[in-house]
Amino acid sequence: MSVPFSAADTEAAMGDIVQGRSLWDDALRRLMRNRAAVISVVILFVIAVAAVIGPYFLAYDYSFQDYTVVSCAPDWWPDTTVMCNAGGTHWFGTDSIGRDLVARTLYGARVSLAVGLIATLVSLVIGVAYGAIAGYVGGRIDELMMRFVDVLYSIPYIFLVIILMVIFNRNFFLLFVAIGAVEWLTMARIVRGQTLSIKQKEFIEAARAGGVGAFGIITRHIIPNVFGPVVVYVTLTVPASILAESFLSFLGLGIQEPLTSWGVLISDGANQMETAPWMLLFPAAFMTVTLFCFNFIGDGLRDALDPKDR
């Protein structure tokens, strides 16, 4: 004789059912198993927090000059001939005009990370919109739009940025736009290629048959489905933008005094490398660690979002 199930038995049976996971849930699980990517996220978070709130807890402002401690090494530096303890403790030493390198390195992190993130956001908006429109419309419009991209590709990257910086008169905020306005080219090509393969799918045809317009199809169906490769490329665009800003600042075309960035600090440190190597060591180490972290995160996202690697 069969015994009817009680409510408790039903709840227990339902709890045993394996819940389905979305693509993003599965990708997050795979990403969390990547130790290098997880450690990189933690390191970037620590650097970002230190850059945002760290300067408020320091004894010195990034622009404060103390000529009694010019080019002083950190207190723990092995060469005692370049140490001077007057004026307080300088964990990273001081620069050639007596400014504290801890404060300048953390403030430089603010500027460099802001340039990387905002320039990447600019390139993301331009590149995704441009590539999705070109790929979806197709035909002569696609050919014309992509030939324009090819023309911009043929011009040296830094030359384009320098032209934009000269036109904008080296404005601090327009530096973000100038770098982002050049970084979008590869993003547009990636999105266009993905759009060409997606727009022939059945769900796009169903959307057209349902009366959805071109704008609705691009924004609601195509862009969400190309988000995976875009996210991976974004993690590579951020360090590229940071390097571009550092190179421009190294040439004297980027951030201007009294503001600072890692590129400005590396440029100053390179000029004093023989007499004050700590001026180059710390900003270069921070920038190197940041670039490696973004690349490890990009590799982790690529593996997590690649369906062929499951």
Side-chain angles (χ1 to χ4, degrees):
M1 185 172 102
S2 61
V3 179
F5 285 104
S6 64
D9 294 333
T10 304
E11 291 181 2
M14 292 297 294
D16 292 336
I17 298 176
V18 177
Q19 298 295 325
R21 296 196 304 266
S22 68
L23 171 65
W24 294 106
D25 291 336
D26 187 54
L28 180 61
R29 289 173 182 266
R30 292 169 59 83
L31 180 64
M32 296 301 293
R33 291 198 295 265
N34 189 316
R35 293 183 179 179
V38 173
I39 293 173
S40 297
V41 170
V42 173
I43 293 174
L44 282 179
F45 178 77
V46 172
I47 293 176
V49 170
V52 172
I53 67 175
Y56 295 110
F57 296 95
L58 297 176
Y60 307 96
D61 185 70
Y62 75 96
S63 60
F64 175 74
Q65 302 176 17
D66 185 356
Y67 291 104
T68 63
V69 287
V70 173
S71 297
C72 288
D75 296 338
W76 48 267
W77 197 257
D79 187 0
T80 58
T81 62
V82 293
M83 291 182 184
C84 50
N85 296 320
T89 301
H90 300 278
W91 298 334
F92 290 178
T94 60
D95 63 7
S96 58
I97 55 177
R99 294 175 296 192
D100 182 62
L101 282 180
V102 174
R104 290 184 65 76
T105 300
L106 292 182
Y107 196 88
R110 284 186 184 182
V111 176
S112 294
L113 291 175
V115 169
L117 294 175
I118 297 177
T120 299
L121 180 62
V122 173
S123 69
L124 178 67
V125 172
I126 298 175
V128 170
Y130 194 94
I133 292 172
Y136 181 77
V137 174
R140 293 184 178 179
I141 295 179
D142 178 32
E143 290 291 330
L144 180 62
M145 294 176 70
M146 298 315 295
R147 294 298 76 76
F148 176 70
V149 171
D150 293 338
V151 169
L152 292 181
Y153 256 119
S154 65
I155 303 174
Y157 166 80
I158 293 299
F159 181 68
L160 275 177
V161 178
I162 290 174
I163 289 177
L164 292 174
M165 290 302 300
V166 171
I167 294 174
F168 293 144
N169 199 24
R170 293 192 291 186
N171 184 284
F172 171 69
F173 295 102
L174 292 178
L175 173 64
F176 306 145
V177 180
I179 296 177
V182 178
E183 288 283 358
W184 65 272
L185 299 175
T186 303
M187 185 83 71
R189 282 188 166 182
I190 293 174
V191 174
R192 173 187 176 265
Q194 294 291 319
T195 303
L196 288 175
S197 63
I198 290 175
K199 73 175 185 177
Q200 303 300 332
K201 301 293 185 180
E202 289 80 2
F203 67 93
I204 299 294
E205 296 294 337
R208 289 198 194 98
V212 180
F215 180 78
I217 291 176
I218 291 174
T219 56
R220 288 188 293 176
H221 297 285
I222 291 181
I223 291 180
N225 281 281
V226 303
F227 198 63
V230 168
V231 169
V232 175
Y233 186 71
V234 161
T235 60
L236 303 178
T237 306
V238 174
S241 300
I242 293 175
L243 282 175
E245 180 276 324
S246 300
F247 182 72
L248 290 173
S249 297
F250 191 87
L251 296 178
L253 297 172
I255 302 299
Q256 302 298 310
E257 297 285 356
L259 294 177
T260 189
S261 70
W262 285 338
V264 173
L265 294 175
I266 290 173
S267 177
D268 294 340
N271 295 328
Q272 305 288 333
M273 186 168 54
E274 295 184 0
T275 58
W278 58 87
M279 289 179 58
L280 177 63
L281 174 64
F282 296 108
F286 269 80
M287 192 170 91
T288 300
V289 170
T290 301
L291 298 182
F292 270 111
C293 287
F294 275 112
N295 280 279
F296 284 136
I297 293 172
D299 290 341
L301 286 172
R302 180 200 60 201
D303 296 339
L305 295 171
D306 186 2
K308 298 179 181 178
D309 194 34
R310 296 184 179 179

